[in-house]
Amino acid sequence: MQERRSVVTENTAPRRLRADAQRNVDSLLEAAKAVFGTSGVDAPAKQIADLAGVGVGTLYRHFPQRSDLVKAVFQREVDACADAAPALSAAHEPGVALDKWLQRYTEFLATKRGLASALHSGDPAFDALPCYFMQRLGPTCASLLEAAAANGEVRADVSAKDLLYAVANLCLPVEDEGVAYSRRMVALLVDGLRYGAAVSRSGA
Amino acid sequence: MQERRSVVTENTAPRRLRADAQRNVDSLLEAAKAVFGTSGVDAPAKQIADLAGVGVGTLYRHFPQRSDLVKAVFQREVDACADAAPALSAAHEPGVALDKWLQRYTEFLATKRGLASALHSGDPAFDALPCYFMQRLGPTCASLLEAAAANGEVRADVSAKDLLYAVANLCLPVEDEGVAYSRRMVALLVDGLRYGAAVSRSGA
Amino acid sequence: MQERRSVVTENTAPRRLRADAQRNVDSLLEAAKAVFGTSGVDAPAKQIADLAGVGVGTLYRHFPQRSDLVKAVFQREVDACADAAPALSAAHEPGVALDKWLQRYTEFLATKRGLASALHSGDPAFDALPCYFMQRLGPTCASLLEAAAANGEVRADVSAKDLLYAVANLCLPVEDEGVAYSRRMVALLVDGLRYGAAVSRSGA
Amino acid sequence: MQERRSVVTENTAPRRLRADAQRNVDSLLEAAKAVFGTSGVDAPAKQIADLAGVGVGTLYRHFPQRSDLVKAVFQREVDACADAAPALSAAHEPGVALDKWLQRYTEFLATKRGLASALHSGDPAFDALPCYFMQRLGPTCASLLEAAAANGEVRADVSAKDLLYAVANLCLPVEDEGVAYSRRMVALLVDGLRYGAAVSRSGA
DNA sequence: GATGAATGAGAATTCATTCAT
DNA sequence: AATGAATGAATTCTCATTCAT
C-alpha cells in the first residue's frame, strides 16, 4: 500500500533535498541514534521525533519504515566496518585479519544494544534489515573467511552469512553482562573456527 | 502487591487442583505452547486464553505472571534436560558428555523458537526466567564443564553461565535458517572450548 | 433477581445457623472489620474472604449485598452508640448530653475511615446503609436534639437527619489530617447549633 | 515517566492550539462537565470521550492525568470564586464578607456533585487536586478569615485549610437532599465560627 | 514540506458474581 | 453448606499511522 520510499536510503536517484529537509533528516538520525542507545531500536516514534525537535509526520515522511531509520542510522558505521577489511587484510595474516575484523564487527554490534535484536525480531517493521546487513557485510566477511581458510588457519565449512548471524546473536545483551561478555564469546567462536582447521590439518 | 503465586510452578504444597481446574491448566499449557511457537512468548494473553477455550481471568488465576506460564510450559523439558546429564557423564568421556549435553540443550532451545528471546527480552514480565533457567541448568552445566576441564579436554576459563547464555543466543531464530543452523553454530562454539584446551596443554 | 437475604442482618426469623456456619460468619465479620480499616469498605471481596479463611462463595451466601456486611460489621457499634444516649441524658444537661453524644458518634465514624464515605458513595451496593443508619440513630439523635432545643441550649431548626449526615460528612478523611480534625470540625458545627440558640434567646 | 503535561492547565507558554484542537478541548471540557455531574469525577474516560465525539487518545493527549481534566473543568470557576473575594471585602464588614464568600464557595461545590468527593478520594489520579484547590483558594480564605477574626467577629483558632475542607465535606451529596441542605449546614458551621468569637469576647 | 492532532485498535489487568464440585 | 474456579465485562493507557491544517 505504502509506496513511498525512504529518501535517504534510496540508492537510485538521490534527489537533492531542500536544505531544511536535509537538516531535519540529520536531526532525526542523530536523535534516533541516541534513542536507540537508550531505549532500543523499537522505541516509540514520538520519542525520536521529539528529541529531533521535529513532528512525527516528518519522521514518517523521511523514514516510512522503521527499518529505513535503523538502516540510515547505522549505514555509515556498517560501511566503515566493511571498509575496514582491506587494511586489515593487507596488514595481517589472513587468520588474524579475520579475527580482528570480527572483533570490530562485534564492537559495533555490542555497543549498539538493541540493534542485534532487531536483526531477528520477527517484527515486520525490521524485515528489511537482515537483508541490508548481509548485502553490505556478507562479501567482506566472505573474502576474509576464504582467505583464512585457504591459508589453513580456519575451517572452510562455515559460511560468511552463518558467521555474521552467529556473531550478531552472541552480541545480544545478556542479563547484567556488558560488552566484555560479547567479546569473550565471539573469541570463543573464532577459536572454534581455528580448532576445526587445526584438527583437519593434524588429520592430514 | 502481587502475592498470588502460580499454582503449577509452586513447589511447596502442590495442593491438588480440582479436576476441572486441572483440565483448564492443561489446556492453557497446551495452548500456550502452541501460541509461543507461533507468535513468540510475548503473545497477547487473550490469544492463549481463547485457544485454550478459557477466559482470560482463568489464565491470570493460574499464571499471574507471564513468566509463570513460560516456566510452566517448559519446566518439564528443562528438568528433563538437566536430568539427562548424569547418564551422559556415566557413559562418555567428560568432553563428549559436555558436548552431547550441550547438543541436547540446543535441541531444546532451538525447537522452542521464542523461548530463547524471552531469556533476554528486558521485559520485566520475564525477569524471573533467566534466574529459573540458571538455577536449574547452571549446576548441571557447571559440573560437566569442570569435569571436562579437569580432564584437559576443554579450557577452564569459561563459566557455565556464560556458556549457557551463549548457546541460548546462538539458538535464536535466524532468518530462514532452522535448527540445523543452531546446531552447527553451537558445535563451533564447543570447538572453541576445545581449541583453548589444546593450546594451553601444548603450552604446558 | 437475587432474593436471598443476609442471614445475620435478617431480623425476622433469625433461624439458628449450624455451628460451623456461625463460626464462618464470625470469622467474616472479624476479617471484614480489619479489612475495612485497612482498605476501606469497598475492598475486594476476596481479600476479606481470604483473611477469614473462607471461600468467597461463603461470604456471598451470608452477605449477598456488600451493605449487609457493612451493616453487620458495625451493627454492634451502632447499637452501642444509640444505647449510650439515655445515660448521657440522665447525667447531663440536655445541651451537654447532645454534645457528648455527637462526640461519641464522631469517634465511631472517624475511626472507621471509609465507613462515612460509604454513606454517600452512590454505589448501589451501599444503598441500604444510610437508611439503616438513620433508622437506628435518627430517633436517638432526635430526642437529644429536641431536649436541648426545648431547654434553649441549641437552635430548633436543624433536623436530626441533617445533623447526623453533616457530622458523617465532617468525619470524612481529609488529606493528612486525622481524627483530631474531625473532632474539631464537629465541635465547630455544634457551636453553630448553640450560636443559633443564643441569638434567638438574646432576641427574646 | 509521565512527562507530557496538560496543554490547558499549563500556565507557562500557553502555546496556541490549532483551531480544531481547541474545538476538541472545548468539547471535552463540556462533555467532562456533563459526565462529572452524572457519573462523578471518576467516570470512565471512554464515556467522556464518546460524549465529546472524540477518541480516547485525544482525551489522554490533552489531559494525561485525570486530575488535569478535573482541574481544567473547574479552573475557571475556582478562579472566579477566588476573585470574588476582594469585592466582598470592600462591600461588607469582614464577618459578613467571609460569610458571603463561603456561601459562594458552597454554591460552587454543591452544584458540582462529585467534585468534592474527588478532593478526598484517595485515588492517586486525583492527588494533584487538593493541592491545586488549596493553592488557589487557601490565601483568599485565609485573608477573609483573618480580617473577620481581627474584627472579633469570628474565632481565630480555625485555619483556612480546615475550613475549606470542612465546607467541601459538607457539600458532599446526601441521600436525596439538594444544594439547600449544603447551604444550611455550611451556615451552621459559620455560626460555629461566630459562637466561638462571642465566647472569647465575653471572656475578655 | 512540516506539523502534530486525532484516531482507535489493542494489551494488560482486576473483580463482582455465579455455579459446578 | 462450603468452596474456589471460571467468567468476561470493564477500565486504563499506549502508540503506530494517517491526514487536516
Side-chain angles (χ1 to χ4, degrees):
Chain A
M1 306 81 185
Q2 179 58 58
E3 292 296 331
R4 273 178 294 167
R5 317 252 212 82
S6 162
V7 174
V8 256
T9 58
E10 196 51 54
N11 294 339
T12 58
R15 181 154 41 88
R16 275 282 260 213
L17 289 173
R18 259 168 41 183
D20 56 342
Q22 185 59 55
R23 220 173 308 126
N24 281 338
V25 167
D26 292 342
S27 306
L28 279 167
L29 289 176
E30 202 166 342
K33 192 167 182 174
V35 171
F36 287 171
T38 309
S39 321
V41 286
D42 47 359
K46 180 137 211 312
Q47 196 178 335
I48 297 167
D50 281 353
L51 184 59
V54 145
V56 267
T58 305
L59 190 162
Y60 276 93
R61 161 175 289 270
H62 293 303
F63 308 98
Q65 303 297 322
R66 171 61 58 119
S67 61
D68 294 329
L69 184 55
V70 178
K71 255 160 57 178
V73 165
F74 296 117
Q75 191 156 41
R76 213 166 312 180
E77 294 179 75
V78 172
D79 288 348
C81 190
D83 294 344
L88 292 172
S89 293
H92 304 279
E93 289 287 288
V96 176
L98 174 65
D99 188 11
K100 286 189 179 294
W101 186 80
L102 286 174
Q103 282 174 32
R104 202 189 185 296
Y105 176 56
T106 299
E107 221 61 34
F108 167 51
L109 286 171
T111 50
K112 266 79 197 178
R113 300 275 145 173
L115 209 203
S117 328
L119 290 177
H120 47 242
S121 71
D123 187 323
F126 294 116
D127 273 357
L129 277 183
C131 173
Y132 167 71
F133 264 72
M134 276 311 133
Q135 264 181 0
R136 203 67 193 74
L137 301 177
T140 297
C141 181
S143 71
L144 288 165
L145 202 49
E146 280 156 24
N151 206 34
E153 293 177 271
V154 303
R155 63 170 68 177
D157 60 356
V158 176
S159 74
K161 184 184 157 196
D162 281 4
L163 189 56
L164 287 171
Y165 273 121
V167 172
N169 276 347
L170 288 175
C171 288
L172 282 166
V174 154
E175 205 157 347
D176 48 357
E177 304 276 5
V179 188
Y181 165 80
S182 304
R183 271 197 283 258
R184 263 181 289 141
M185 292 305 112
V186 171
L188 199 57
L189 195 76
V190 172
D191 281 347
L193 282 176
R194 294 195 182 107
Y195 177 78
V199 162
S200 44
R201 271 153 102 198
S202 69
Chain B
M1 287 298 180
Q2 184 60 59
E3 309 212 11
R4 277 175 292 167
R5 313 253 212 83
S6 163
V7 173
V8 257
T9 58
E10 195 52 53
N11 294 340
T12 58
R15 187 150 34 90
R16 277 281 260 210
L17 285 175
R18 252 165 47 182
D20 55 342
Q22 186 58 58
R23 219 173 308 127
N24 281 335
V25 167
D26 291 343
S27 305
L28 279 167
L29 288 176
E30 204 168 338
K33 196 168 183 173
V35 170
F36 286 172
T38 311
S39 320
V41 286
D42 47 359
K46 181 134 210 315
Q47 194 178 335
I48 297 168
D50 282 354
L51 183 59
V54 143
V56 267
T58 304
L59 192 162
Y60 277 95
R61 161 180 284 271
H62 294 300
F63 307 99
Q65 304 295 324
R66 172 60 57 115
S67 60
D68 293 330
L69 185 54
V70 178
K71 252 160 61 175
V73 166
F74 298 117
Q75 188 158 41
R76 213 166 312 181
E77 296 178 74
V78 172
D79 287 348
C81 190
D83 293 343
L88 293 173
S89 293
H92 303 279
E93 288 286 289
V96 178
L98 174 65
D99 188 9
K100 285 189 180 292
W101 186 80
L102 286 175
Q103 281 173 34
R104 202 190 183 298
Y105 176 55
T106 300
E107 219 62 33
F108 166 52
L109 287 170
T111 50
K112 266 80 197 174
R113 304 274 145 173
L115 209 203
S117 328
L119 290 178
H120 48 241
S121 70
D123 185 323
F126 294 116
D127 273 358
L129 277 184
C131 174
Y132 169 70
F133 264 74
M134 275 310 135
Q135 261 181 1
R136 202 70 192 71
L137 301 177
T140 296
C141 181
S143 70
L144 289 166
L145 202 49
E146 279 156 26
N151 206 35
E153 294 176 89
V154 303
R155 65 170 68 177
D157 61 356
V158 176
S159 74
K161 185 185 157 195
D162 281 4
L163 188 57
L164 286 172
Y165 272 120
V167 173
N169 276 347
L170 288 176
C171 288
L172 283 166
V174 154
E175 203 157 350
D176 47 359
E177 303 276 7
V179 189
Y181 165 79
S182 304
R183 272 196 281 258
R184 265 181 288 140
M185 292 306 110
V186 171
L188 200 56
L189 195 76
V190 173
D191 280 346
L193 282 176
R194 294 195 181 106
Y195 179 78
V199 163
S200 46
R201 270 151 102 201
S202 69
Chain C
M1 307 82 186
Q2 178 60 54
E3 290 296 332
R4 274 177 296 166
R5 315 252 213 84
S6 163
V7 174
V8 258
T9 59
E10 195 51 53
N11 293 338
T12 57
R15 183 154 38 90
R16 272 282 257 217
L17 288 174
R18 257 168 42 181
D20 57 341
Q22 185 58 55
R23 220 173 308 126
N24 281 338
V25 167
D26 291 344
S27 305
L28 280 167
L29 288 176
E30 203 168 340
K33 192 167 183 175
V35 170
F36 287 172
T38 310
S39 320
V41 286
D42 46 1
K46 179 137 209 315
Q47 197 177 335
I48 297 167
D50 281 354
L51 184 60
V54 145
V56 268
T58 305
L59 190 162
Y60 275 92
R61 161 175 289 272
H62 294 302
F63 308 98
Q65 303 297 322
R66 172 60 57 117
S67 60
D68 294 329
L69 184 54
V70 179
K71 255 160 57 178
V73 165
F74 297 117
Q75 191 157 42
R76 215 165 312 181
E77 293 180 75
V78 173
D79 288 349
C81 190
D83 293 344
L88 293 172
S89 293
H92 303 279
E93 288 287 289
V96 177
L98 174 66
D99 188 10
K100 286 189 179 295
W101 186 81
L102 285 175
Q103 280 174 34
R104 201 188 185 297
Y105 176 56
T106 298
E107 220 62 32
F108 166 52
L109 286 171
T111 50
K112 266 80 196 177
R113 301 273 145 174
L115 211 202
S117 328
L119 290 177
H120 48 241
S121 70
D123 186 324
F126 294 117
D127 274 358
L129 278 183
C131 173
Y132 167 71
F133 264 73
M134 275 313 134
Q135 261 182 2
R136 201 67 194 74
L137 301 177
T140 297
C141 181
S143 72
L144 288 165
L145 202 50
E146 280 156 25
N151 206 35
E153 292 176 90
V154 303
R155 65 170 66 179
D157 60 356
V158 175
S159 74
K161 185 185 156 194
D162 281 4
L163 188 57
L164 286 172
Y165 272 121
V167 172
N169 277 345
L170 288 176
C171 287
L172 283 165
V174 155
E175 204 156 350
D176 50 357
E177 304 276 6
V179 188
Y181 166 79
S182 304
R183 273 197 282 258
R184 263 180 290 139
M185 292 306 112
V186 171
L188 200 56
L189 194 77
V190 173
D191 281 346
L193 282 176
R194 295 194 181 107
Y195 179 77
V199 163
S200 45
R201 269 151 103 202
S202 70
Chain D
M1 287 300 181
Q2 183 59 57
E3 309 212 10
R4 279 175 290 168
R5 314 253 213 83
S6 164
V7 173
V8 256
T9 58
E10 195 51 53
N11 292 340
T12 58
R15 184 149 39 91
R16 275 281 261 210
L17 285 175
R18 253 164 48 180
D20 55 342
Q22 186 59 58
R23 219 173 309 126
N24 280 336
V25 167
D26 291 344
S27 305
L28 279 167
L29 289 176
E30 202 167 340
K33 196 167 182 172
V35 170
F36 286 172
T38 310
S39 321
V41 285
D42 46 1
K46 180 133 211 315
Q47 194 178 337
I48 297 167
D50 282 353
L51 183 60
V54 142
V56 267
T58 304
L59 191 161
Y60 278 96
R61 161 179 285 270
H62 294 301
F63 307 98
Q65 303 296 323
R66 172 60 59 115
S67 60
D68 294 328
L69 184 54
V70 179
K71 253 161 62 177
V73 165
F74 298 117
Q75 188 158 42
R76 212 167 312 181
E77 296 178 74
V78 172
D79 288 348
C81 189
D83 294 343
L88 292 173
S89 293
H92 303 279
E93 289 287 288
V96 177
L98 173 65
D99 187 11
K100 286 188 181 292
W101 185 80
L102 286 174
Q103 281 174 33
R104 202 189 184 297
Y105 175 55
T106 300
E107 220 62 33
F108 165 53
L109 287 170
T111 51
K112 267 79 198 175
R113 302 277 148 170
L115 208 203
S117 328
L119 290 177
H120 48 242
S121 71
D123 187 323
F126 294 118
D127 272 358
L129 277 183
C131 175
Y132 169 70
F133 263 73
M134 275 311 134
Q135 262 181 0
R136 201 69 193 73
L137 301 177
T140 298
C141 180
S143 71
L144 289 165
L145 202 50
E146 281 156 24
N151 206 35
E153 293 176 88
V154 302
R155 64 170 69 177
D157 61 356
V158 176
S159 74
K161 185 185 155 195
D162 281 3
L163 188 57
L164 286 172
Y165 272 121
V167 172
N169 275 346
L170 289 176
C171 287
L172 283 165
V174 155
E175 203 159 349
D176 48 358
E177 304 275 6
V179 188
Y181 164 79
S182 304
R183 271 197 283 257
R184 263 181 289 140
M185 291 307 110
V186 171
L188 199 57
L189 195 76
V190 173
D191 280 347
L193 282 175
R194 294 196 182 105
Y195 178 77
V199 163
S200 46
R201 269 153 101 200
S202 70

